[in-house]
Amino acid sequence: MGCSQNAEQSNPPSPNLQQTPPPTNNSSTMAMPPQSHCLSSVLPILLLAIHLLPFCSSTSSIRVDVFVNLVQVDAHLNLTYHERLHRVMNRSHQRAMNLHHRGRRGRRHRTAPRPLDHNSSSIETPLQAGHGEFLMKLAIGNPPTSFMAIVDTASDLIWTPCSPCTLCPDQPSTVFDPQGSASYSKLSCSSPSCSALPHVCDPLSNDCQYIYRYGDQSTTSGYLSSETFTLGSASFENVGFGCGTMNWGFHEGAGLVGLNRGRLSLISQLGASVGYQFSYCLSGLEGGSSSSSRLAFGPNSSLPSSSVGAIKLPLLINSRNPDFYFVDLEGISVGGRRLPIEASAFQFKQGGTGGVVVDSGSALMYLVAEAYREVKQTFITAISLPVAAGPTAAGSGLCFQGFVDPSSIPTLTLHFSSGDFCAPRENYFIVDEDSRLSCLAINETPMGMSIIGAFMQQNVHIHYDLGNNLITFTPAQCDQL
């Protein structure tokens, strides 16, 4: 693990949180098992969390476990390690900026979009993260059409290109044909799912038309629809998704699967049928085709609670961005020394900005300026190599000229309220052999929000329990699970 764990903190008791059952929702757009009776009262501090999960949860309604392989987006390309690393870094920086725009505006800053005008340079739509690092295979329709879609833990909408695609310059080889499916239907403007996002109502057909714009200006628009989705061996009827007839700016995958806490995300829609639980274990971030990662849904998606090094944390609710997965980072140690960083550096600020979000779509870890300065200076002091001047080819904020002796790389520990995470060295330090640079996989955030990205999550089994607002980090060898 790279640093020693505190035995008393490695398996902490669950935080003293009242279980938050998902509230009842009368939506007819998502087929779910019979719902149990919702608790009539909850702690006021958890009221905001209730709207995130649209149905009541019951152990009797948990039906399935689903396991899906994840593929790094560059794995199919014939790239060198150097080339893959640069693509990962470039996406990570763009992603951080996207989250910055989303964080500033907040989830609730949503206005109804105007009908899409391709001659217009301004479209008022919700800004999403988009462009993650991993793809998942799923199928849609009856009979099913299989495709690979980006997995995004910071977005809600599920969407895929649909024919006829009137404006799709980067159209993938697989496009879903709604007319070829017996289970497809468009959703009306009065459907509960349509009210979950800004939309344009077709005055003639009453169809719900959506427009989503991502932070890098890539856009998808089309009809909010309902279909049967197949994940692994399990099928789920009446899943709401975007049938995109105009999509541009997407070069990886055939659509996107949102996995945040919004009402239209896949985990929210599968809901009680998978116990409001999912997990993933990431490996091969640089695009190695031999590495295997896994995404799982259901009550068996967690590892045993007795697993060595596991820490269970409460998921925090940010009123400005309630769909993100925030955690309570309290401090950082480098080389066994707790850095003089105020805990307030990682907390929410007045107005809802700030905090620390877990995001699988960002490659690097990003820290606010006061925390990054301390981490950076400590590594400079510990490593006796010259610092690379100017913007580095590897895209990191701190690189050293030459190859660092692994034994001289200081340990790094993240301190949470419920325990310490001792990061493996490969999760925060990378080597670009072509450029002969050794780089810290941590950078300064362009915003007030810190991000625990995919590098830091490598070979860590991360389990989300949305019914109880908990997230668990467990060290694991992901390609052996």
Side-chain angles (χ1 to χ4, degrees):
M1 285 295 296
C3 53
S4 60
Q5 288 275 8
N6 184 322
E8 294 181 356
Q9 292 181 325
S10 61
N11 291 289
S14 300
N16 185 23
L17 293 176
Q18 179 176 345
Q19 183 172 352
T20 309
T24 303
N25 186 308
N26 294 324
S27 170
S28 61
T29 64
M30 307 167 192
M32 307 301 294
Q35 300 171 12
S36 64
H37 180 65
C38 285
L39 296 180
S40 59
S41 64
V42 293
L43 293 175
I45 196 171
L46 296 179
L47 288 177
L48 180 60
I50 293 177
H51 86 282
L52 299 174
L53 300 174
F55 300 98
C56 290
S57 177
S58 169
T59 54
S60 63
S61 63
I62 296 174
R63 298 181 296 146
V64 297
D65 290 289
V66 180
F67 301 92
V68 182
N69 288 331
L70 296 177
V71 179
Q72 206 277 339
V73 295
D74 296 328
H76 68 290
L77 301 176
N78 186 23
L79 302 175
T80 65
Y81 174 86
H82 177 78
E83 292 169 331
R84 294 196 300 266
L85 182 60
H86 282 251
R87 288 172 64 89
V88 167
M89 291 294 189
N90 289 335
R91 283 194 299 267
S92 185
H93 296 323
Q94 181 62 62
R95 173 84 170 192
M97 291 303 300
N98 293 354
L99 290 176
H100 167 58
H101 292 305
R102 172 75 186 272
R104 287 181 59 190
R105 293 166 61 106
R107 176 182 183 272
R108 299 190 181 283
H109 186 79
R110 288 185 170 186
T111 56
R114 300 186 301 272
L116 192 59
D117 177 4
H118 302 299
N119 295 318
S120 172
S121 60
S122 175
I123 305 172
E124 192 68 21
T125 62
L127 286 173
Q128 303 295 323
H131 297 276
E133 283 299 320
F134 290 86
L135 303 169
M136 66 177 288
K137 185 178 181 179
L138 66 161
I140 181 173
N142 182 20
T145 299
S146 298
F147 64 98
M148 301 290 288
I150 295 170
V151 176
D152 188 357
T153 56
S155 295
D156 52 1
L157 183 68
I158 309 164
W159 70 268
T160 189
C162 289
S163 62
C165 213
T166 56
L167 181 61
C168 300
D170 302 303
Q171 181 167 309
S173 57
T174 302
V175 177
F176 175 63
D177 182 6
Q179 296 185 353
S181 173
S183 50
Y184 173 83
S185 63
K186 291 181 179 178
L187 296 180
S188 70
C189 297
S190 60
S191 69
S193 293
C194 190
S195 65
L197 79 168
H199 62 277
V200 175
C201 190
D202 187 319
L204 298 179
S205 64
N206 197 37
D207 292 331
C208 180
Q209 297 177 299
Y210 77 93
I211 304 173
Y212 256 40
R213 179 167 60 90
Y214 296 84
D216 61 354
Q217 304 305 312
S218 57
T219 303
T220 175
S221 68
Y223 294 92
L224 194 62
S225 307
S226 172
E227 218 357 322
T228 296
F229 276 67
T230 301
L231 309 175
S233 60
S235 293
F236 303 87
E237 298 178 347
N238 301 319
V239 175
F241 78 106
C243 194
T245 57
M246 291 183 285
N247 318 287
W248 63 93
F250 299 95
H251 308 288
E252 298 94 14
L256 187 144
V257 175
L259 278 177
N260 72 10
R261 296 197 280 191
R263 283 202 293 161
L264 291 177
S265 77
L266 182 61
I267 183 60
S268 293
Q269 294 199 56
L270 299 188
S273 64
V274 294
Y276 292 98
Q277 298 179 57
F278 76 97
S279 68
Y280 54 77
C281 200
L282 305 179
S283 61
L285 187 65
E286 300 89 352
S289 58
S290 61
S291 300
S292 174
S293 301
R294 189 180 73 162
L295 172 68
F297 298 88
N300 292 319
S301 62
S302 62
L303 295 182
S305 58
S306 59
S307 298
V308 176
I311 56 172
K312 185 175 293 186
L313 310 171
L315 284 169
L316 306 182
I317 305 296
N318 183 337
S319 59
R320 186 182 183 91
N321 291 288
D323 297 346
F324 286 170
Y325 296 114
F326 286 98
V327 292
D328 58 348
L329 181 65
E330 295 184 336
I332 300 174
S333 289
V334 176
R337 181 178 73 88
R338 184 80 172 245
L339 301 182
I341 305 170
E342 295 291 335
S344 59
F346 304 117
Q347 296 172 355
F348 299 137
K349 305 297 187 292
Q350 186 174 6
T353 60
V356 180
V357 66
V358 178
D359 177 36
S360 63
S362 300
L364 298 179
M365 182 173 188
Y366 289 87
L367 296 174
V368 291
E370 58 188 285
Y372 177 71
R373 284 194 301 265
E374 292 291 339
V375 172
K376 179 180 179 179
Q377 187 56 52
T378 304
F379 273 87
I380 291 175
T381 302
I383 295 175
S384 57
L385 284 177
V387 175
T392 62
S396 172
L398 174 62
C399 288
F400 298 91
Q401 296 177 5
F403 301 138
V404 176
D405 181 354
S407 64
S408 69
I409 301 174
T411 59
L412 186 142
T413 304
L414 304 181
H415 301 289
F416 298 96
S417 62
S418 300
D420 296 338
F421 171 65
C422 301
R425 285 187 176 91
E426 61 269 20
N427 285 24
Y428 60 90
F429 213 86
I430 55 179
V431 176
D432 185 349
E433 294 186 357
D434 289 356
S435 299
R436 296 188 61 81
L437 294 175
S438 300
C439 302
L440 186 66
I442 301 174
N443 214 334
E444 182 177 344
T445 181
M447 53 186 166
M449 180 194 299
S450 296
I451 303 172
I452 299 176
F455 267 117
M456 190 60 71
Q457 299 178 48
Q458 286 183 114
N459 288 319
V460 181
H461 186 274
I462 300 182
H463 178 255
Y464 298 76
D465 181 353
L466 304 192
N468 292 293
N469 285 309
L470 295 173
I471 185 171
T472 303
F473 297 167
T474 306
Q477 195 63 40
C478 293
D479 59 3
Q480 297 180 9
L481 292 180

